[in-house]
Amino acid sequence: MEKTDGNDRRKNESRSGSLATLVLSDMTASTEPPHPAVTPAEAAPVGSARRHRAQSLPREDHGCGWIETLAPPPPARVFGAPSGSAPHFDAVVIGAGFTGLATARRLAEQRSDWRVALLDAQRAGFGASGRSSGFVVDLAHFIARMEPATGRRFVALSRSGIADLRSLALEQAIACDWDDRGWIHVAAGSAGMKSLPFLATWLDALGERYEALDAAALEAITGSTFYRGGLRLPGSVLVQPAALLRGLVAALPPAVELYEESPVHEIRREGASFSLKVAEGALQAPLVFVAANGYAPSLGAFPRQLFPLYTFGSLTRPLTPEEQEILGGEREWGVLAEDAMGSTVRRTRDQRILIRNSARFTRNHGRPAQPPERIQALHRQAFAKRFPKLGHVPFAYSWSGPLGVTPDRSVAFGEIEPNLFAAGGYTGAGIAMGTSAGRLLADFALRQDSDLLSAMLSLPQPKKLPPQPFLDWGIRLQVRRMNASAGETL
């Protein structure tokens, strides 16, 4: 293992980490077999009346700082069709986040003569993809706990996604605050300090570089005395997620027709094709891809393997020059907590402070999971502990976003019925893995074999969750335990 000093960077290979606030600690790893690589003929027989109705549609929440600080997007193109007609597409992708954009782009690359419809219930990237903390994950504690071969495949798949994103960001000159100087796993409490050596041992075994930091070094970076120790991963990537998504949308191939504010209410099989009811009409296609992540179970994808979990972020106004001088440290950084349910924190390029913590469970996407006042109180508490010398810097934005979570942090991926494909369940690590999964989902449907697709198909499937109502009872109990575990390290 090669440790680095603070100036060493990875030029060609990205790294990143997990959303450490989402540790489902008492759910063990899956022992189920890998995804079967089936063809439609080998799958279940095609039924004439099979349908999936949306159980809950996304709510409108305009409080996300990443989105609101961007210039307004162009007007949405809303799907509509004359009464009684249903235009035909060669493929339909539902969800315009990182996964859906990658799927649609790959389909258009491989089949340039196709018509590909990309549908989103809101604006593209308005869901969890554009509301994340912007950590592009490929090295993380939850990966370290996987079986070694599985962990190596997970890292390789994530890095493939990062390579795709880096290439597109450079080619399209996407202004997304791409920063690969390296973000930090940090510990504030005794549990976190015990966790850091485990992560370091795993990195040593992989031959990965990192920089060990003590409290003084962390203060020099963050301006905060809150943290006791940390590991910096040179080359790991931070982005402004909504800006990256906006750029990816602008770079979609001409074959992709993006329809926003066009929620899918029903997917119904009609012989060898599908009919989709959309807000203002209907359309047909022989191939459908569900790339809605946390919303996927409401459309019938992975209902016993994946569930939505809302997390919350707040972003301050920009720090004044005087506040920046008082804070000191580096002008741009990000930290993920090794302490259970500890806060994710960033200092952004435009000199705002991001605080992200707490989680809530609800399947009703049409209502807030927690009142904004309670969210801001938790975030204010975390801010005050870390930056007491800054005083009361107000939050300009507070928001929530639904992750797609699996109990063992395995990725849900595959053909859920003939010619209906889906991927999701990245549990906070969806920028890189979601991009890779979206591209490979298109390859899987088109039967384009590759080593990366074989790696994806060999990952363990998420283990099945209990049936209702026991499932939701258990999730709520576990989420309450998670939130209660934060204590002084919130």
Side-chain angles (χ1 to χ4, degrees), residues 301-488:
F302 311 116
R304 291 281 306 277
Q305 295 171 298
L306 189 156
F307 59 91
L309 192 66
Y310 280 79
T311 62
F312 305 92
S314 285
L315 195 64
T316 69
R317 61 154 170 76
L319 300 179
T320 66
E322 294 77 15
E323 289 165 341
Q324 294 174 41
E325 185 174 354
I326 290 170
L327 179 58
E330 296 182 3
R331 291 183 58 81
E332 189 173 2
W333 48 262
V335 300
L336 292 181
E338 285 295 296
D339 301 283
M341 296 304 292
S343 298
T344 297
V345 185
R346 282 186 63 178
R347 183 175 177 178
T348 65
R349 191 162 296 181
D350 62 350
Q351 296 304 294
R352 301 172 187 265
I353 300 294
L354 168 78
I355 300 288
R356 192 179 190 95
N357 63 40
S358 191
R360 294 293 183 271
F361 168 71
T362 178
R363 292 189 185 275
N364 185 351
H365 299 298
R367 66 177 184 180
Q370 187 182 37
E373 293 79 8
R374 293 181 60 193
I375 299 169
Q376 292 195 32
L378 290 171
H379 295 172
R380 175 56 52 196
Q381 176 185 345
F383 183 94
K385 287 179 179 179
R386 287 157 179 79
F387 311 111
K389 57 188 177 183
L390 285 181
H392 186 89
V393 177
F395 290 125
Y397 306 98
S398 291
W399 68 92
S400 65
L403 303 176
V405 176
T406 61
D408 47 15
R409 307 189 96 154
S410 297
V411 176
F413 178 96
E415 188 173 21
I416 59 177
E417 62 179 80
N419 294 332
L420 179 58
F421 299 85
Y426 313 116
T427 319
I431 298 180
M433 181 57 86
T435 298
S436 187
R439 182 176 186 270
L440 294 172
L441 199 64
D443 285 350
F444 188 40
L446 299 175
R447 308 310 178 201
Q448 300 289 325
D449 292 335
S450 67
D451 289 342
L452 279 172
L453 179 56
S454 296
M456 178 66 78
L457 293 171
S458 69
L459 292 179
Q461 295 185 60
K463 70 176 182 180
K464 288 190 176 180
L465 294 159
Q468 296 289 13
F470 308 104
L471 171 58
D472 284 7
W473 292 346
I475 294 172
R476 289 190 177 95
L477 176 61
Q478 180 62 14
V479 170
R480 282 198 296 269
R481 289 174 178 170
M482 289 162 54
N483 288 323
S485 70
E488 293 301 312

